[in-house]
Amino acid sequence: MDRAQWEADQVRGVALALRHWFEITDTETRMRELGIRPDPERKTAAPVDKRLQSFALTALPPQIVRLKPEAPVTTLHFLQIVYDDGVMRADPWRWWFAWISIEMISRLGPDPSGRQVKDFIRTDDSLQSVRHTAARWLASSESRVDYVNQEFTTLLRQALVDQDAADQDSLIDRLGQPIVVFIEAMAAEAGRISAGITEQLAERVERM
C-alpha cells in the first residue's frame, strides 16, 4: 500500500469515527412531534400551529443535524468550516451539508475538491424532492440570496468551461431557470464544506 492510499484510508477512518457524534432527526417527523405539522397517527394531538409551518418549511433541510452533547471538543475542530462563518454559522443547511460530507468521505474517501458531494447534491435520486424545493434553501437566508446573486456569473462560467462549445447555448438557457441556479449554488456550498472538512481530516492524519 502506498502512502497516498494509506492516507486516504486513514481519512475515511477518522470520518467514520466523526459520524458517530452526529445526531440526525427527520425534519417532517420533528415538525409533527412539535405540533407544527399534522400527525395522522396521533388522533389526540394538540391543534396544529400553522403559523410556524412556513418558517419550518423554508428554514430547515430534510434532516435536522446536530452534534451530540457528549461530542468531544476536537470534533468542532474538524467542523470549523461549518460554524466559523461570519454570516451563516448557525445555518441548519450548512450542518446538513456537513453530515452529507462526512457520510460521503467515510464511504468514498477524501473529497478535497468537493466534487463527490456536489455530484450527490445535483444528481442523487434520494434528493430529488430537495432539488424540486431548492427555493426553500434560498429563502431561508437573506445572506444566501446575496450569495447566489454574487455567484451566478461564476457558476455560469464554470458550467461553460465544463461543457463542449456546441452545448453552450442550451446550457445558458438551462441556467436561466432559477431552480437550476439554486441547485448549482447549493452544490457549490456543499462542496466547499466537504473540501474544508477533508482538509481538516487530512491534517489530523498527517500528525498521526
Side-chain angles (χ1 to χ4, degrees):
M1 180 185 299
D2 60 23
R3 176 72 183 182
Q5 184 59 53
W6 179 86
E7 290 180 349
D9 289 345
Q10 293 301 309
V11 167
R12 285 187 61 201
V14 177
L16 279 167
L18 184 58
R19 68 196 285 265
H20 168 74
W21 300 112
F22 279 92
E23 188 172 276
I24 315 298
T25 306
D26 182 76
T27 299
E28 182 77 15
T29 299
R30 189 66 177 137
M31 289 170 65
R32 288 175 178 173
E33 291 173 351
L34 295 173
I36 298 174
R37 301 270 293 179
D39 187 346
E41 295 183 2
R42 297 173 61 188
K43 301 186 184 303
T44 60
V48 173
D49 187 346
K50 295 183 178 180
R51 295 171 299 177
L52 294 177
Q53 285 190 23
S54 59
F55 166 76
L57 288 173
T58 56
L60 301 177
Q63 286 89 25
I64 299 171
V65 179
R66 73 185 189 106
L67 288 178
K68 295 177 181 178
E70 63 271 24
V73 175
T74 53
T75 301
L76 295 178
H77 173 72
F78 296 132
L79 301 169
Q80 68 181 33
I81 190 171
V82 181
Y83 64 86
D84 191 13
D85 184 291
V87 178
M88 295 186 287
R89 65 183 63 186
D91 178 16
W93 280 90
R94 289 174 66 85
W95 283 101
W96 187 60
F97 290 145
W99 169 67
I100 290 176
S101 298
I102 291 296
E103 285 287 316
M104 297 293 286
I105 294 167
S106 65
R107 296 176 192 174
L108 304 177
D111 189 22
S113 68
R115 172 64 67 180
Q116 61 195 28
V117 170
K118 286 181 185 178
D119 290 343
F120 181 76
I121 296 292
R122 290 169 178 152
T123 63
D124 195 88
D125 289 342
S126 69
L127 297 184
Q128 186 172 357
S129 62
V130 177
R131 288 190 292 273
H132 281 316
T133 57
R136 295 179 183 176
W137 171 82
L138 179 72
S140 65
S141 170
E142 184 175 336
S143 299
R144 191 171 285 120
V145 175
D146 293 337
Y147 161 73
V148 171
N149 287 336
Q150 293 169 6
E151 291 292 311
F152 177 73
T153 301
T154 301
L155 292 169
L156 178 59
R157 287 176 179 168
Q158 184 59 49
L160 290 174
V161 169
D162 293 342
Q163 297 291 317
D164 294 333
D167 296 331
Q168 289 188 5
D169 289 342
S170 62
L171 182 65
I172 290 173
D173 291 340
R174 189 163 58 86
L175 282 178
Q177 302 174 29
I179 191 69
V180 177
V181 176
F182 302 159
I183 293 168
E184 288 294 322
M186 287 175 65
E189 183 173 2
R192 277 193 296 274
I193 289 173
S194 187
I197 291 174
T198 291
E199 182 179 358
Q200 295 298 325
L201 296 177
E203 287 182 1
R204 168 67 178 272
V205 168
E206 288 178 1
R207 295 195 297 269
M208 292 173 62

